[in-house]
Amino acid sequence: QTLITTPYRKTVLRDAEADYLFMRLGPEQRHNGVGVLVGDQSKNILMTYAARIPLSQQCLEIPRGGKEVDETAVAAAVREVQEETGLTLSLDLLVSLGDMHPDSSTLRSRTQLFMAQLDIDFASLQDCLVPQEGEVDQLMVIPWKRLLEMAESGEITDSFTLVAILRARRHLEREIAKS
């Protein structure tokens, strides 16, 4: 039984007894998402708080979202950061952290993760840090070491964010060791 069809996915109830859902994505949407871990020169990370209706709670996450059909992953990453934080990144700041499968048992899709390290502090950008209405509920700047603690303790549960933190760790800790 098909529950919902959008331009991006078709959600199907596979087993009414077990409430088992499966989302089928068209071939052009199998690489349909991006996430960006954005850091400043002081090794603070810009995070979002977003309401997640299926969980009935807000989640601490990296800026992330869907990729338009004809959009490159890099262009989508720049757009999502701009929509969710108000920052406009240049393409050359993005470093690929690779791909991930958000939920390999129910989604046939792939999300590309990036990191961007700015040469300024977020404190000097306060007037620029304004998400578009309806994108996220709040922005937070969190020191890298505290973010790691939050990931390890279970305070952060979003899979995109956890994978980005894990993969960015080597890059950021190399930078911290230099300073």
Side-chain angles (χ1 to χ4, degrees):
Q1 173 189 6
T2 299
L3 300 178
I4 187 169
T5 301
T6 73
Y8 303 102
R9 69 183 62 128
K10 178 179 180 180
T11 304
V12 178
L13 182 63
R14 287 298 263 310
D15 181 349
E17 297 291 317
D19 291 333
Y20 183 81
L21 295 177
F22 177 77
M23 288 188 221
R24 183 169 288 129
L25 305 170
E28 70 283 352
Q29 291 301 320
R30 290 191 187 138
H31 198 185
N32 71 330
V34 295
V36 186
L37 188 140
V38 183
D40 70 6
Q41 70 180 7
S42 298
K43 307 305 180 256
N44 295 307
I45 308 299
L46 185 59
M47 301 291 289
T48 68
Y49 254 121
R52 296 300 177 208
I53 294 167
L55 301 177
S56 300
Q57 69 184 47
Q58 288 188 317
C59 291
L60 188 61
E61 304 172 348
I62 59 173
R64 65 181 179 91
K67 182 176 94 48
E68 301 298 328
V69 173
D70 292 327
E71 188 176 37
T72 67
V74 171
V78 169
R79 178 182 50 76
E80 285 296 334
V81 169
Q82 198 284 322
E83 289 175 357
E84 294 191 5
T85 71
L87 289 178
T88 302
L89 299 177
S90 62
L91 299 176
D92 62 325
L93 285 177
L94 292 173
V95 174
S96 177
L97 295 175
D99 294 348
M100 67 166 288
H101 297 281
D103 183 346
S104 59
S105 67
T106 59
L107 286 173
R108 185 175 22 177
S109 73
R110 184 180 308 265
T111 296
Q112 190 164 354
L113 300 173
F114 297 92
M115 68 177 283
Q117 195 71 34
L118 306 180
D119 290 332
I120 55 175
D121 286 328
F122 291 129
S124 66
L125 297 172
Q126 282 305 91
D127 294 339
C128 300
L129 297 178
V130 181
Q132 288 182 7
E133 189 171 331
E135 285 292 325
V136 298
D137 299 322
Q138 182 181 357
L139 297 176
M140 294 185 68
V141 175
I142 301 174
W144 171 248
K145 289 189 185 254
R146 174 67 184 124
L147 194 70
L148 281 175
E149 291 169 4
M150 294 171 79
E152 291 171 352
S153 72
E155 290 175 72
I156 297 173
T157 59
D158 175 64
S159 61
F160 299 95
T161 302
L162 291 168
V163 172
I165 291 169
L166 174 69
R167 292 185 183 169
R169 186 177 197 163
R170 179 179 40 141
H171 298 282
L172 290 171
E173 290 184 351
R174 193 175 323 140
E175 290 298 315
I176 290 170
K178 285 182 196 177
S179 53

